[in-house]
Amino acid sequence: MNLDDVKFDERGLVPVIIQDAASGEVLTLAWANREALEKTLETGQTHLYSRSRQKLWKKGETSGNVQDLVEMRLDCDADAVLYRVIPHGPACHTGARSCFHNPITPETTPPLGWVLEQVWRTIQDRLEKMPEGSYVARMHAAGLDRVLKKIGEEAGEVIIAAKNPDEGELAWEASDLLFHLMLVLAERGMNLGDLARVLNERHQP
């Protein structure tokens, strides 16, 4: 991406869509001038331009909810920019994870990628804090072999459920299997990005 290609408006601004790089969730819509784009590229963290305060600002400067830049993209008309980021805390000033938390149409089931990312973050949090009564903490304390045994058990239950007519049962058992697979990745110090990379490579035509 060449910043000389960006089509800034008459105020010298361009709209910026900020997206969670892991889940694909849109976090906010903001504005940036050339300096904000340059600072974002230079520091690897989200910088924007405040139209109300008429000044450059860094996301998380006061709240601590910074965003690490993974990728910056320009749209096909060169008049909008996408920041793909790893957020460290809520994106919205209200404390909500995303600024887009007021539904107009009836809410639907969120995408699988978004849900998996939330489950992953919960697993990471439980392993870090090891709260009393946590299933993840209990499995971690039992050791990797116990988690691996659980995967074998869940895989067997998926096979049985797939042979039965109840689709709800199959979805339930498959979810259990996915959860324990994620727990194994966490125990081995891996993350969902490792899977995404391999699957993406395999998916290439």
Side-chain angles (χ1 to χ4, degrees):
M1 172 179 171
N2 189 336
L3 295 187
D4 291 334
D5 295 332
V6 180
K7 295 178 182 177
F8 297 97
D9 65 15
E10 66 280 359
R11 300 163 299 175
L13 301 177
V14 64
V16 176
I17 299 167
I18 302 177
Q19 178 188 46
D20 187 314
S23 68
E25 180 182 16
V26 175
L27 300 177
T28 192
L29 171 66
W31 295 85
N33 58 9
R34 186 182 181 104
E35 183 183 6
L37 297 181
E38 290 173 341
K39 278 286 188 182
T40 300
L41 290 171
E42 175 188 337
T43 65
Q45 293 189 322
T46 294
H47 283 73
L48 301 161
Y49 183 84
S50 171
R51 292 175 298 168
S52 59
R53 292 177 290 164
Q54 295 190 340
K55 62 179 291 188
L56 184 77
W57 66 286
K58 174 186 175 182
K59 172 62 181 172
E61 195 166 22
T62 56
S63 66
N65 300 326
V66 298
Q67 297 172 343
D68 296 331
L69 181 72
V70 172
E71 183 181 28
M72 185 185 294
R73 292 190 179 191
L74 187 61
D75 83 332
C76 57
D77 294 320
D79 58 2
V81 174
L82 173 69
Y83 288 3
R84 296 183 62 244
V85 305
I86 298 173
H88 298 278
C92 185
H93 72 281
T94 64
R97 174 171 170 75
S98 166
C99 291
F100 295 94
H101 58 268
N102 296 312
I104 296 176
T105 55
E107 292 193 66
T108 58
T109 301
L112 177 61
W114 185 90
V115 176
L116 290 177
E117 182 64 25
Q118 305 316 302
V119 173
W120 176 258
R121 290 177 180 175
T122 299
I123 289 173
Q124 295 281 55
D125 181 74
R126 298 295 188 271
L127 289 175
E128 178 182 344
K129 298 176 181 177
M130 295 292 286
E132 185 177 352
S134 163
Y135 175 77
V136 170
R138 187 165 69 252
M139 292 296 286
H140 174 75
L144 179 61
D145 284 348
R146 178 66 187 96
V147 182
L148 295 176
K149 181 180 179 181
K150 189 66 176 174
I151 285 181
E153 295 171 1
E154 297 298 343
E157 290 177 6
V158 167
I159 292 171
I160 294 171
K163 302 286 284 184
N164 294 329
D166 188 345
E167 294 181 354
E169 179 188 2
L170 177 56
W172 181 275
E173 299 299 348
S175 297
D176 280 347
L177 179 57
L178 276 176
F179 174 84
H180 288 90
L181 284 171
M182 292 167 68
L183 182 53
V184 166
L185 291 179
E187 290 286 352
R188 289 295 310 274
M190 298 173 66
N191 57 55
L192 295 183
D194 295 312
L195 292 188
R197 182 173 58 256
V198 172
L199 289 172
N200 183 60
E201 290 172 355
R202 291 181 179 180
H203 181 66
Q204 297 301 319

